[in-house]
Amino acid sequence: MSAEAIRVGVRRPARRLFVHQLRSEQLVFWRSREAAFFIFLFPLLLYVLLGSVYSGKIYGVPAPEALLAGLIGYGCANTAFAGLAIQLVIRRESGILKRLRSTPLPPATYVGSLLVSTLIVFALQAAALFLLGRALYGTPFPSDAGSFAAAVVIGAAVFAALGTATASVIRSAEGSSAVVNFILLPTAFLTGSFGPTRHYPAFLRAIGDVLPLRYFINLVNAVYLRGHGFWTQPQALAVLAAWGVAGLVFTVFRFQWEPRER
Amino acid sequence: MHAIEVSGLRKAYGNLEAVRGVDFEIEEGEVFGLLGPNGAGKTTTVEILEGYRKRDAGEVRVLGHDPERPGPDFRERIGVVLQQSQLWPNLTVRETHAIFAGYYRAPRNVDEVIALVGLVDKANARVKSLSGGQKRRLDLGIALVGDPDLVFLDEPTTGFDPQARRAAWEMIRSLRSLGKTVLLTTHYLDEAEQLADRVAVLREGQIVRVGTPAELTTTDLQTEIRYRQDGEEVLVRTDEPTRVLADLASAAVARGEELEGLQVRRPSLEDVYLALTAEEQEAEAEVEA
Ligand SMILES: Nc1ncnc2c1ncn2[C@@H]1O[C@H](COP(=O)(O)OP(=O)(O)O)[C@@H](O)[C@H]1O
Ligand SMILES: [Mg+2]
């Protein structure tokens, strides 16, 4: 066999398997009404709700644009952190992950396609938020689409790492949604996903200032509201990278395929 | 060649020795039953062979692989039905089969497999709408869709009603006609007797007997002869039932009496199993030893 044949022979099934698994993940996601509602639609509903509450300007930009940036932050954390964590715990505790381990599907293909599937859901959600903003409030699309796409991918990767890490510490499927939202909702409020935080007490703002969602929203603000390139935000990128690496390392050491409860 | 070779297998969880030196071999094309009560170590043994758990000691070969370090085709060639597992509740039976089929290099036709496990009527039904027995058939279907050579079935019929169990037995028999090697665990004696070419009885992590179901009944358990004499129940246990019965009968005839309520009972597989797995028996045996 020539080197070329070996390469094709090895590579093509790997890609075929990845595409197969990605399609399976998308089917599983969209078939679940709860996931489609709470993960995909919920941020859109919140945008409509908050958009009707706030008017005028927030931080010197029209309120619908500032809220849009905040909800992209919330949507990212909701999809890649909360949604992924809950799905993973349910799959682990119900034995699906264990069952998949005895098939020829490589773990890296499984995890990779799950992450890409999550990214697809979030990217669609971001697109839907922009369309909604344009339709309801006349908000503009991002001027630098490349930088915005980069921000979306970076945010999804960081929150997915934190989501898998969180899934590793949650023991039961029943409690997973409560635990995850107990983390996510205060985070979203403290970091300004749902509106300005300047009237919050200083200590609450200080807490918000260490959370990754704050820096993701900063990044989105810079790219969307001010038209900067994503690379012009070294502080936000550094903090996000630190959280992402922490989540990844934790995941590598603590991730489990088999049910925790016996 | 043997499909499975196990020797000196040991596994402990903390202080609990779940498997304490197990040896057996399974021929290609054989249906092998691992029979034992709950906690005997069946799942531990099977999951070591499937590659889920690491053994503490012993040699294990499954289709020529060490399951702890399997080669690339190991998972292509095994099919697994776990003791407990669920699938995606919102997908249909056919979608679930198709997803699993996509993981294998040379899968079987999805609709053929669905027919084989008797779910044709349910092919487009959501998994969450299936009954327990139908879900178990789905588990079997996705274990077969990759066209494995070796199938592990961990308590495939536990919790079934008698009718569903019969249907499952038929399916497992059909695996034999497909030439598959099957390792089946069960705590139902009749199931092992019905399905397995050979049975290993596992108790407290050790194999106490291996053989064909027929061989297991030829045992050191004695035949029981019961009758009543002067209103008292008499029980004789013997290895020579013919001679004892002849003696008893001729004595009774000589006295001009009838052996009232005469019963002669050969040990059933059930008796053997109970004797092999009962704890008092072990305690006695240890005192004697
Ligand atoms: N992961 C585990 N951790 C601790 N103990 C276990 C674990 N799995 C099984 N055991 C114990 O090992 C013994 C054998 O269990 P198992 O192999 O599941 O038996 P069986 O399948 O025959 O019912 C039982 O006492 C069980 O409680
Ligand atoms: Mg078991």
Side-chain angles (χ1 to χ4, degrees):
Chain A
M1 218 194 293
S2 70
E4 180 62 23
I6 291 170
R7 217 168 348 114
V8 170
V10 172
R11 214 204 275 149
R12 206 184 271 140
R15 187 184 306 152
R16 187 191 60 96
L17 208 52
F18 183 84
V19 171
H20 172 77
Q21 184 58 19
L22 185 57
R23 291 170 57 157
S24 308
E25 288 295 348
Q26 285 286 302
L27 181 64
V28 170
F29 181 86
W30 295 106
R31 190 58 70 73
S32 160
R33 297 251 175 287
E34 302 85 60
F37 180 79
F38 284 106
I39 297 175
F40 187 79
L41 277 184
F42 194 54
L44 299 170
L45 293 180
L46 275 179
Y47 186 35
V48 175
L49 201 73
L50 293 169
S52 63
V53 173
Y54 288 98
S55 54
K57 298 211 165 205
I58 298 176
Y59 306 130
V61 297
E65 290 174 37
L67 287 171
L68 179 51
L71 281 162
I72 283 177
Y74 173 71
C76 184
N78 190 45
T79 306
F81 166 73
L84 186 62
I86 294 169
Q87 286 178 77
L88 273 175
V89 173
I90 291 175
R91 289 173 184 198
R92 184 189 69 215
E93 294 305 315
S94 65
I96 292 181
L97 293 187
K98 180 175 182 179
R99 182 63 187 77
L100 289 175
R101 286 281 271 173
S102 70
T103 71
L105 180 69
T109 307
Y110 179 74
V111 174
S113 56
L114 183 58
L115 294 183
V116 172
S117 176
T118 304
L119 175 65
I120 289 173
V121 172
F122 174 52
L124 289 173
Q125 183 177 68
L129 279 168
F130 278 117
L131 290 173
L132 198 63
R134 158 69 45 100
L136 294 182
Y137 315 111
T139 57
F141 293 130
S143 56
D144 181 351
S147 263
F148 188 78
V152 162
V153 172
I154 291 166
V158 169
F159 285 103
L162 294 170
T164 53
T166 305
S168 312
V169 296
I170 299 176
R171 294 188 159 267
S172 80
E174 291 80 52
S176 61
S177 167
V179 173
V180 163
N181 278 303
F182 183 76
I183 300 172
L184 176 61
L185 286 177
T187 296
F189 276 103
L190 291 175
T191 56
S193 299
F194 302 148
T197 59
R198 69 191 147 215
H199 55 283
Y200 286 14
F203 81 96
L204 285 184
R205 277 184 288 156
I207 296 174
D209 280 344
V210 299
L211 296 174
L213 188 52
R214 157 78 85 217
Y215 295 89
F216 180 59
I217 292 174
N218 286 350
L219 185 64
V220 174
N221 284 344
V223 172
Y224 176 55
L225 300 179
R226 298 194 292 279
H228 297 316
F230 77 94
W231 61 88
T232 62
Q233 307 298 312
Q235 190 204 19
L237 292 175
V239 176
L240 286 171
W243 277 98
V245 168
L248 196 63
V249 169
F250 195 88
T251 301
V252 166
F253 284 103
R254 294 290 300 274
F255 191 76
Q256 287 196 338
W257 296 85
E258 298 197 18
R260 280 282 191 83
E261 292 183 318
R262 278 183 42 86
Chain B
M1 206 189 90
H2 291 122
I4 294 182
E5 295 172 356
V6 176
S7 67
L9 180 64
R10 292 184 164 273
K11 172 78 181 175
Y13 302 106
N15 288 332
L16 180 90
E17 287 190 79
V19 176
R20 304 183 293 162
V22 159
D23 311 85
F24 60 88
E25 283 164 358
I26 304 181
E27 304 284 338
E28 277 182 10
E30 187 176 31
V31 178
F32 189 85
L34 208 50
L35 174 66
N38 281 334
K42 302 182 297 295
T43 297
T44 301
T45 304
V46 168
E47 292 201 352
I48 287 170
L49 303 183
E50 290 163 345
Y52 283 116
R53 306 191 192 191
K54 290 201 184 309
R55 59 189 184 267
D56 296 339
E59 282 299 312
V60 174
R61 290 263 125 192
V62 179
L63 301 172
H65 296 261
D66 177 348
E68 279 182 26
R69 280 172 290 278
D73 76 329
F74 177 70
R75 295 198 167 89
E76 291 278 350
R77 295 182 61 202
I78 64 168
V80 169
V81 173
L82 295 171
Q83 184 170 346
Q84 273 173 351
S85 70
Q86 294 163 37
L87 293 156
W88 303 282
N90 295 302
L91 299 195
T92 68
V93 167
R94 182 179 283 110
E95 286 163 347
T96 307
H97 276 88
I99 287 179
F100 276 85
Y103 298 152
Y104 296 86
R105 235 180 275 135
R108 294 183 53 143
N109 178 286
V110 163
D111 289 308
E112 265 174 45
V113 174
I114 292 173
L116 180 73
V117 297
L119 287 174
V120 173
D121 294 346
K122 293 284 172 185
N124 293 316
R126 300 276 172 104
V127 170
K128 65 183 170 195
S129 74
L130 301 180
S131 71
Q134 289 165 341
K135 282 191 177 128
R136 214 63 184 134
R137 282 192 251 169
L138 174 62
D139 287 337
L140 184 60
I142 60 169
L144 297 179
V145 80
D147 201 14
D149 299 322
L150 169 62
V151 184
F152 295 97
L153 305 173
D154 196 357
E155 299 201 14
T157 68
T158 297
F160 281 24
D161 59 44
Q163 211 181 339
R165 168 159 315 129
R166 292 264 140 62
W169 287 356
E170 280 311 310
M171 269 175 334
I172 294 166
R173 286 200 191 98
S174 69
L175 296 184
R176 185 210 313 269
S177 50
L178 293 172
K180 312 281 184 209
T181 308
V182 178
L183 172 51
L184 161 91
T185 81
T186 180
H187 57 236
Y188 299 115
L189 182 76
D190 53 342
E191 183 158 295
E193 199 176 3
Q194 286 285 327
L195 298 177
D197 299 315
R198 281 190 311 136
V199 179
V201 180
L202 198 62
R203 187 195 58 191
E204 293 175 359
Q206 286 180 315
I207 290 182
V208 286
R209 181 80 47 111
V210 196
T212 64
E215 279 165 3
L216 289 189
T217 42
T218 20
T219 127
D220 38 342
L221 274 200
Q222 296 172 316
T223 300
E224 292 179 355
I225 298 171
R226 287 169 197 271
Y227 58 97
R228 272 198 301 279
Q229 193 165 32
D230 309 327
E232 301 249 319
E233 184 87 25
V234 182
L235 168 61
V236 183
R237 286 205 175 91
T238 175
D239 294 324
E240 300 171 291
T242 314
R243 194 187 54 71
V244 173
L245 201 56
D247 291 352
L248 282 172
S250 49
V253 169
R255 293 195 302 274
E257 284 173 10
E258 190 60 40
L259 284 174
E260 273 178 64
L262 176 66
Q263 284 185 353
V264 181
R265 233 177 118 253
R266 293 211 343 103
S268 67
L269 187 49
E270 180 112 29
D271 296 324
V272 177
Y273 175 61
L274 287 176
L276 288 173
T277 54
E279 282 181 44
E280 306 90 57
Q281 291 273 332
E282 185 194 36
E284 277 170 25
E286 269 169 13
V287 171
E288 278 169 24

